[in-house]
Amino acid sequence: MRFSVSRQKEQALKQRLEKLGVREDDLVEKFIRSSGPGGQRVNKVSTAVYLKHVPTGTEVKMQEERSQALNRYRARQVLADRLEARLLKRKTEEQERIARIRRQKRRRSRRTKQKMLEEKRRQAEKKSLRRPPAEE
């Protein structure tokens, strides 16, 4: 396995994957065309990497870099992050971000909405009292 990174980074990733019990034989790796900015280079070359860890079913698609080798490295890093989070049963940053967005989009209950609107009305009333009196 050769990536376009330093030997130390490559060794660290290899040790991390071994510690998690991930073997190269357990991975299904496919190369697909990237999408988005990058122009002709992206449109011609399959630089995006799809990686699947068969025993756990964990999938990663990586197309952050223009280089296929760097995307392969990054995909393995993300895979290791996800497997560690799964083992330690903790939420990843990505899962937390998605949950936060979901909470923001969730509809408020009728009572909560009424409280919020009442608070807004009180605030508006306070502000209206700050205005200088209208001259007649």
Side-chain angles (χ1 to χ4, degrees):
M1 172 167 63
R2 274 299 300 145
F3 307 114
S4 300
V5 294
S6 67
R7 285 255 184 233
Q8 291 89 357
K9 286 184 178 181
E10 202 171 298
Q11 282 299 106
L13 178 64
K14 190 176 179 183
Q15 288 172 355
R16 188 174 173 202
L17 289 172
E18 283 175 5
K19 193 172 105 179
L20 290 168
V22 178
R23 298 185 345 243
E24 279 296 314
D25 301 341
D26 295 341
L27 300 176
V28 173
E29 188 173 41
K30 295 178 186 174
F31 303 104
I32 41 186
R33 291 222 172 120
S34 296
S35 61
Q40 197 173 12
R41 169 114 168 93
V42 166
N43 298 334
K44 272 197 309 194
V45 185
S46 298
T47 54
V49 175
Y50 168 83
L51 198 61
K52 181 176 183 180
H53 184 239
V54 179
T56 60
T58 307
E59 297 176 344
V60 175
K61 182 183 177 198
M62 184 60 57
Q63 64 175 35
E64 283 181 11
E65 306 292 333
R66 282 179 62 180
S67 158
Q68 188 183 76
L70 278 178
N71 280 330
R72 289 180 72 205
Y73 175 76
R74 291 259 176 124
R76 281 170 173 75
Q77 275 185 323
V78 171
L79 180 76
D81 291 342
R82 289 185 185 172
L83 291 175
E84 274 181 354
R86 193 175 185 175
L87 283 174
L88 301 173
K89 292 191 180 7
R90 67 168 188 237
K91 287 190 173 181
T92 63
E93 290 175 24
E94 180 69 11
Q95 288 171 327
E96 286 175 8
R97 185 184 67 80
I98 290 168
R100 187 169 52 247
I101 291 170
R102 197 172 281 144
R103 279 194 304 273
Q104 288 172 351
K105 289 185 175 183
R106 186 173 53 208
R107 285 187 75 177
R108 291 187 172 96
S109 70
R110 187 173 283 149
R111 184 171 178 194
T112 307
K113 199 171 183 179
Q114 284 174 340
K115 278 184 178 180
M116 181 192 67
L117 291 174
E118 184 57 41
E119 185 58 38
K120 277 187 169 187
R121 273 193 285 278
R122 263 194 241 117
Q123 191 65 24
E125 196 175 315
K126 268 193 231 175
K127 282 191 165 194
S128 69
L129 294 173
R130 292 181 198 160
R131 286 193 216 127
E135 292 179 32
E136 292 178 27

